[in-house]
């Protein structure tokens, strides 16, 4: 696989995961740094079984250098998302990094949990637990109840 | 708010965010052309630190983890295009060790210090016979590992990964090659007698520089069990003198969280009366202290105690526990979960397990429905009661 193919196929997911973890501003910067590193090191990375997972960790390191505050997500206008629950974003920001990544990738971008686990270098069971815990925290914070 | 609507809001928001950012964030599904899927051995990155601290590498099931294509050799600092031959010390620099049982970094230059000695069982790594077997299901065998701190860079971890032959090599055995294997595995280091070690930094975050790795590689020499015990004792004594951050009492033991600085890891110490055992608390210095994960497997008096911080999802607020410590058999199979005490102090989750006297092997495990599964490739072994834990 060429680096260009890799970026085309895996780049969006890498960006999504880092945005989920660190918010759009730092997440996108971290994704850029990770991909730049990937370009430089592609000869080595392409032999790996999961270069996306490796670059996610590169992005994590870059983001943690930049992080000074908890991640922040822009608030949509009332016109853009009229029914939007304003408490959702601070509740998301309060999750742990892995919980937030799992929640956003699974429920925000419809990733299968197995793919999230792959990116995070964790087992399916661990990713599922992060997801369940993240969703449980959000439900408590937002007083979500089951429709039935 | 009903559940369905709540989940829809998450989807709607991140769809909106993608539009606002003007970049594609939708995930690709599994890419079939990428070949065999990852089969990582089970543990979250943070827990990798816990596991590494007890001497177990995060591994995956590659049949041969040496880079065989046009990869860059590890020893890039030497600016060579192939495997790097390190400087071989003169035979006289490594005195004969008749009863040598393993290798250890004993000839460290100033500024380097062994701060962790780990002895346990680990799943067999490498070798084509293991290629298709999940690492968690592979047979375990004795391993030894070390964490070497440097004052000018992140710690270096070196381990035989459980597939070292007993090291009765001649004292002139020296490092022959260091080859890059990339990712989490550190690097393969081969001595002239064929011994293979892993060296590097086995978990995510900052990697040690090549020159640091080379320094530790050059310091390796055959040692006896007595020398190994002395190395362990010195390491624990050093850690026990680090400044105290916090102390909690769990299960009758005092657990002391000690501070590192810069690249110097802190420590987790457990003490009762005048007995104390310590292990380094490693992790990315950029990670908030309350999120770093660590575990100490120590003999405190006559008791074997496993204690540490932030074991997976130990927050008990939702009655969910990701990871636990389980008793195990010598072959690595999990038996039952062990009682665990936990508390939170200053935002840090502390846990402690006093291992029952009749248990000699302990393994990190994870509940999976009604069963327990191994969650790391390593198995802790009850420390030798003959070892003074400082």
């Amino acid at each position: 696989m060429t680096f260009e193919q890799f970026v085309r196929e895996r780049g969006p997911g890498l960006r999504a995961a880092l945005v989920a973890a660190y918010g759009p501003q730092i997440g996108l910067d971290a994704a850029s740094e990770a991909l730049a590193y990937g370009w430089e090191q592609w000869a080595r990375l392409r032999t790996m079984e999961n270069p996306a997972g490796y670059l996610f960790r590169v992005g994590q390191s870059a983001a943690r250098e930049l992080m000074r505050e908890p991640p922040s997500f822009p608030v949509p206008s009332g016109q853009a998302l009229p029914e939007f629950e304003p408490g959702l974003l601070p509740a998301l920001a309060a999750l742990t990094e892995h919980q937030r990544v799992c929640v956003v990738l699974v429920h925000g971008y419809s990733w299968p949990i197995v793919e999230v686990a792959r990116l995070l270098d964790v087992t399916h069971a661990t990713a599922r637990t992060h997801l369940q815990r993240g969703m449980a925290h959000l439900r408590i914070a937002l007083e979500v109840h089951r429709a039935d | 708010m009903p559940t369905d609507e709540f989940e829809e809001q998450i989807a709607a928001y991140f769809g909106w965010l993608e539009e606002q950012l003007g970049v594609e964030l939708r995930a690709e599904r599994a890419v079939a052309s990428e070949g065999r899927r990852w089969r990582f051995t089970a543990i979250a990155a943070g827990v990798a630190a816990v596991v590494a601290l007890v001497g177990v590498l995060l591994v995956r099931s590659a049949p041969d983890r040496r880079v065989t294509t046009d990869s860059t050799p590890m020893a890039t600092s030497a600016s060579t295009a192939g495997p790097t031959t390190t400087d071989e010390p003169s035979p006289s620099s490594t005195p004969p060790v008749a009863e040598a049982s393993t290798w250890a970094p004993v000839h460290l230059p100033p500024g380097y210090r062994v701060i962790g000695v780990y002895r346990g069982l680990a799943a067999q790594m490498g070798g084509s016979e293991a290629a298709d077997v999940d690492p968690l299901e592979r047979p375990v065998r004795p391993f030894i590992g070390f964490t070497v701190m440097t004052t000018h860079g992140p710690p270096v971890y070196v381990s035989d990964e459980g597939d070292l032959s007993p090291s009765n090599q001649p004292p002139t055995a020296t490092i022959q090659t260091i080859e890059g294997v990339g990712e989490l595995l550190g690097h393969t280091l081969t001595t002239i007698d064929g011994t293979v070690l892993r060296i590097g930094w086995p978990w995510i975050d900052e990697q040690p520089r090549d020159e640091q790795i080379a320094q530790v590689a050059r310091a390796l020499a055959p040692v006896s069990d007595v020398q190994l015990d002395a190395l362990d004792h010195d390491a624990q004594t050093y850690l026990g003198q680090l400044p105290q951050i916090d102390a909690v009492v769990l299960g009758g033991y005092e657990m002391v969280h000690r501070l590192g600085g810069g690249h110097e890891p802190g420590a987790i110490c457990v003490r009762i009366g005048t007995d104390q055992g310590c292990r380094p608390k490693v992790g990315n210095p950029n990670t908030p202290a309350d999120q770093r994960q660590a575990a100490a497997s120590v003999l405190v008096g006559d008791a074997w105690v496993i204690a540490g911080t932030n074991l997976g999802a130990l927050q008990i607020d939702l009655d969910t526990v990701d990871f636990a410590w389980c008793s195990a058999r010598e072959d690595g199979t999990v038996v039952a979960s062990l009682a665990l005490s936990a508390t939170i102090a200053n935002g840090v989750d502390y846990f402690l397990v006093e291992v029952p006297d009749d248990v000699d092997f302990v393994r990190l495990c994870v509940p999976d429905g009604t069963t327990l599964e191994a969650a790391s490739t390593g198995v802790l072994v009850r420390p030798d009661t003959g070892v003074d834990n400082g």
Side-chain angles (χ1 to χ4, degrees), chain A residues 9 50 57 74 83 111 121 129, chain B residues 9 13 27-28 38 204 322:
Chain A
E9 292 178 4
N50 189 346
R57 296 190 295 280
E83 304 296 322
W111 283 41
D121 286 1
T129 304
Chain B
Q9 285 219 2
Y13 174 77
E28 290 290 327
W38 269 24
I204 61 171
D322 287 6

Side-chain angles (χ1 to χ4, degrees), chain B residues 39-52:
Chain B
R39 300 200 311 155
F40 264 83
T41 54
I43 45 185
V47 176
V50 173
V51 176

Side-chain angles (χ1 to χ4, degrees), chain B residues 148-167:
Chain B
V148 179
M149 184 194 85
T150 72
T151 54
H152 48 279
V156 176
Y157 182 79
V158 58
S159 165
D160 63 15
E161 279 197 9
D163 52 8
L164 239 189
S165 57
S167 296

Side-chain angles (χ1 to χ4, degrees), chain B:
Chain B
M1 187 195 315
T3 295
D4 290 349
E5 184 185 330
F6 162 60
E7 293 174 359
E8 284 171 9
Q9 285 219 2
I10 295 174
Y13 174 77
F14 283 95
W16 170 83
L17 182 61
E18 184 178 31
E19 287 179 13
Q20 298 303 303
L21 297 174
V23 293
E24 191 182 355
L25 298 176
R26 295 286 158 180
E28 290 290 327
R29 295 297 185 268
V31 181
S33 61
E34 212 170 274
R36 193 155 64 101
R37 274 198 173 176
W38 269 24
R39 300 200 311 155
F40 264 83
T41 54
I43 45 185
V47 176
V50 173
V51 176
L53 273 167
V54 297
V56 182
L57 290 177
L58 179 66
V59 295
R60 60 182 185 177
S61 56
D64 181 354
R65 292 169 297 162
R66 295 188 190 192
V67 175
T68 54
T69 59
D70 55 349
S71 59
T72 305
M74 186 286 294
T76 51
S77 60
S79 301
T80 58
T84 302
T85 301
T86 61
D87 298 334
E88 294 191 6
S90 64
S92 61
S93 69
T94 308
V97 182
E99 68 280 34
S101 63
T102 189
W103 290 70
V106 292
H107 299 310
L108 290 166
Y112 288 72
R113 174 189 290 276
V114 174
I115 56 167
V117 177
Y118 313 104
R119 286 172 272 191
L121 303 173
Q124 178 186 353
M125 296 297 120
S128 57
E129 73 278 13
D132 295 324
V133 182
D134 189 302
L136 293 173
E137 295 169 2
R138 292 180 192 169
V140 293
R141 55 181 68 182
F143 90 102
I144 292 180
F146 306 90
T147 297
V148 179
M149 184 194 85
T150 72
T151 54
H152 48 279
V156 176
Y157 182 79
V158 58
S159 165
D160 63 15
E161 279 197 9
D163 52 8
L164 239 189
S165 57
S167 296
N168 54 355
Q169 297 89 348
T172 53
T174 54
I175 308 308
Q176 185 178 43
T177 63
I178 302 174
E179 299 177 43
V181 294
E183 293 205 68
L184 304 175
L185 297 166
H187 305 279
T188 301
L189 182 156
T190 309
T191 67
I192 59 172
D193 60 356
T195 297
V196 176
L197 300 154
R198 301 285 174 206
I199 188 165
W201 188 239
W203 49 94
I204 61 171
D205 300 320
E206 190 178 2
Q207 298 287 321
R209 293 193 306 275
D210 292 346
E211 67 189 61
Q212 294 173 240
I213 293 173
Q215 291 279 21
V216 175
R218 291 188 188 106
L220 289 163
V223 296
S224 67
D225 285 341
V226 172
Q227 288 172 304
L228 202 60
D229 288 347
L231 209 56
D232 191 6
H233 176 267
D234 289 348
Q236 296 198 42
T237 301
Y238 172 78
L239 294 174
Q241 293 168 348
L242 292 175
Q244 178 174 323
I245 301 174
D246 225 338
V248 296
V249 174
L250 281 172
Y253 295 88
E254 186 180 28
M255 184 175 162
V256 183
H257 190 179
R258 296 189 180 279
L259 177 70
H263 289 295
E264 183 178 13
I268 295 292
C269 296
V270 183
R271 65 189 179 198
I272 187 166
T274 58
D275 296 314
Q276 174 170 276
C278 295
R279 292 290 175 205
K281 176 178 167 61
V282 294
N284 183 357
N286 296 320
T287 304
D290 61 357
Q291 293 175 18
R292 292 181 204 168
Q293 297 169 309
S297 166
V298 291
L299 201 63
V300 189
D302 292 326
W304 180 18
V305 173
I306 300 166
T309 58
N310 303 325
L311 178 66
L314 262 184
Q315 296 94 338
I316 306 169
D317 52 352
L318 296 172
D319 296 325
T320 304
V321 176
D322 287 6
F323 297 96
W325 295 99
C326 284
S327 58
R329 302 181 185 89
E330 192 169 3
D331 64 1
T333 52
V334 168
V335 178
S337 61
L338 298 172
L340 180 147
S341 306
T343 189
I344 299 175
N346 296 322
V348 178
D349 291 347
Y350 292 93
F351 70 87
L352 185 143
V353 174
E354 182 177 350
V355 183
D357 288 344
D358 60 350
V359 173
D360 288 328
F361 304 95
V362 170
R363 191 165 193 176
L364 198 64
C365 58
V366 58
D368 184 20
T370 58
T371 63
L372 291 163
E373 292 184 346
S376 84
T377 55
V379 181
L380 297 170
V381 178
R382 177 178 288 275
D384 185 346
T385 53
V387 177
D388 178 358
N389 279 275

